Every structure is written in C-alpha cells, then in structure tokens.
Amino acid sequence: MNSEKTISIAGFPVIATNSRLLATHLHQTIQMQGKETLFFANTNFIVKCRPLLERLKGNEGGDRAIIVNDGVGMDIAAMLAGERFSENLNGTDFTPYFLGGAARPLRVFLLGAKPEVVAMAARHVEERLGQTVAGTCDGYAGLAQCRARLPQIVNRSRADVLLVAMGNPVQEEWIMANRAELNAHVVIGVGALFDFWAGDKPRAPRLVQRARLEWLYRLCLEPRRLLRRYTVDIVRFLLLCRKYRGDGRA
C-alpha cells in the first residue's frame, strides 16, 4: 500500500484508499505468501492505541500495520487538516467484502468474543461467506487456557486469515505482540464483528448507516457501555488531533 496517500490523524498514518484497492492488495499478499496487518481506526482507536503508535508505524522492530479510516469522526479530523478520505472503511462491511472476493476459499481463524458468539460467527463464515474455518478460540476461557501457545495453534491451523475480535486496544496489543510469530498472511482487528455475524448485536438500519449515524444507533442500544466513548473520548480525540500533527510529534 506504499503508493496510497497517507493522512496523519493525531500522528497515526491513516491510508486513504477504498475497498476495492485494499481488498486487491490483501488478496495479492495471500497469493504471494506475504504478511499484512490491518486495523480500522475510529476515534476510539486513536485514543486507546496511542501507546502503540511507534509499533504500528514499524519503528520498533516490527512491520508497519495498515491503518484505514472508520467513522465520521475520522472524516471530520481529515477535513480539519484540509484532507479528505475517499471512502469510509469499517471492519463490519469490509471484512465480508474482502473474504467474498477471494479467488479461492480462504482458511480463516476466528479469535475473540464469547464462546457461543464465536461458534455462531464461524458458522456464518462457512455457510454465508463460503470460507473454510481453520479454527476458533473464544476471548474468555479459551484464550486464558491457551494464551501462551496460541500463535502455534493458529499456525498449525494453516490459516490464511486471522480475525481478532477483542476490542480496542486489547486486540491491537495482542496482534502487535504476536505478529512476528504468526504465519497467517493477513491479520485483521475486527472489534464487534463476531457479535454482528452471530446476531448477538443488530446492525443499524441501512438508512441510518447511509446517514453516517450508526454510532448513534449503537449508543442508544448500549448507553452505559458507549456513553464515555462518544462524549469524553471524542473530546480527547479532538485534543489529540490538535496536539499531534504531521509526523505525530507535539
């Protein structure tokens, strides 16, 4: 993705691309037996993952992650910087698009969420998306029991794609700490995706999605869990955007 334009949001190098180009790049990565890591950056990501910035940029001995924009807050931050993202990218919509566009069925490992949720999500991957589930591990008892040997478990599954659904910043911390050991060609942090696939959480109606108000729909459904994210953390996000510009230095 080196040829794509990068927009600095609070110091994070966010790639301005679209679904087609990003999916094509990831499919080529798999075909060429390469390795890529993908994160969808929303305002919560920018706030919570600040301590990981140098690692995400590849400045601490690891490979640079691909970071793309997710949500209206990122659009606002780009406009304030005189920039513009061509498309809103989020894991809920992009991940099935990417999987469905593969030239062959991919081997997918699912990590995270409650045991019953990841089981239902795995069924969705096979029955609705036509992919092969290489393995699963829930983010609770399953993760606790096999945390130390999980990279080896994923590698033995011969997964092409690893989807990690632990939420920010836990999924990013785990991925960056273990990426060097993982053989999966594409590793993606997908947040609440398994909950949507399992039907445990509803997506906003299409009209609400098109109006870019899905955040408000989720806030109405889970006010106690999300109120801070969409109030206090939004202010923190804007302050970070103001403080860190260009190359990320204050």
Side-chain angles (χ1 to χ4, degrees):
M1 300 294 289
N2 292 334
S3 63
E4 298 297 311
K5 180 179 180 180
T6 298
I7 299 175
S8 179
I9 303 294
F12 286 83
V14 184
I15 295 177
T17 186
N18 59 53
S19 297
R20 181 183 61 83
L21 291 175
L22 180 57
T24 297
H25 174 74
L26 297 180
H27 291 148
Q28 291 174 345
T29 297
I30 294 172
Q31 184 179 6
M32 299 297 292
Q33 303 288 294
K35 291 174 71 172
E36 286 286 16
T37 303
L38 173 63
F39 295 122
F40 302 93
N42 54 20
T43 57
N44 189 59
F45 174 99
I46 298 297
V47 172
K48 301 295 186 183
C49 294
R50 183 79 201 172
L52 294 173
L53 178 57
E54 293 306 312
R55 292 168 67 185
L56 294 171
K57 292 167 70 173
N59 291 342
E60 294 186 353
D63 294 329
R64 174 175 174 171
I66 296 173
I67 304 173
V68 295
N69 60 297
D70 172 10
V72 67
M74 298 292 285
D75 286 340
I76 293 172
M79 287 189 292
L80 290 175
E83 302 282 0
R84 180 179 179 275
F85 291 112
S86 60
E87 180 184 337
N88 178 57
L89 293 165
N90 64 74
T92 307
D93 293 323
F94 176 79
T95 306
Y97 173 84
F98 156 63
L99 294 176
R104 61 169 176 84
L106 299 175
R107 295 181 61 81
V108 183
F109 195 105
L110 285 73
L111 168 61
K114 299 175 184 177
E116 63 274 16
V117 169
V118 72
M120 290 291 292
R123 186 179 304 172
H124 179 92
V125 169
E126 292 195 324
E127 296 180 358
R128 300 291 296 275
L129 301 180
Q131 308 303 314
T132 300
V133 173
T136 66
C137 178
D138 70 83
Y140 293 82
L143 179 60
Q145 291 172 4
C146 62
R147 181 182 294 272
R149 53 193 175 90
L150 190 52
Q152 290 72 35
I153 293 173
V154 175
N155 290 343
R156 283 199 299 269
S157 76
R158 296 182 293 109
D160 299 300
V161 179
L162 170 61
L163 304 179
V164 184
M166 297 180 183
N168 311 127
V170 178
Q171 65 190 19
E172 289 81 13
E173 290 171 348
W174 187 89
I175 290 171
M176 297 308 291
N178 294 279
R179 187 61 178 109
E181 293 184 61
L182 293 165
N183 295 335
H185 303 302
V186 175
V187 178
I188 309 177
V190 296
L193 179 60
F194 297 172
D195 294 303
F196 296 132
W197 280 351
D200 194 53
K201 293 180 180 178
R203 286 293 305 273
R206 286 290 182 183
L207 182 62
V208 176
Q209 293 181 41
R210 286 196 292 269
R212 307 296 300 279
L213 291 173
E214 191 164 11
W215 65 270
L216 181 59
Y217 180 84
R218 292 188 64 193
L219 177 59
C220 291
L221 290 180
E222 302 180 86
R224 181 172 298 180
R225 187 175 75 86
L226 296 178
L227 181 60
R228 179 183 175 86
R229 178 184 298 186
Y230 294 123
T231 53
V232 175
D233 284 351
I234 287 290
V235 174
R236 293 176 63 193
F237 167 73
L238 293 173
L239 290 174
L240 285 171
C241 290
R242 180 179 177 84
K243 183 177 181 180
Y244 296 97
R245 298 172 182 174
D247 62 2
R249 291 175 293 189

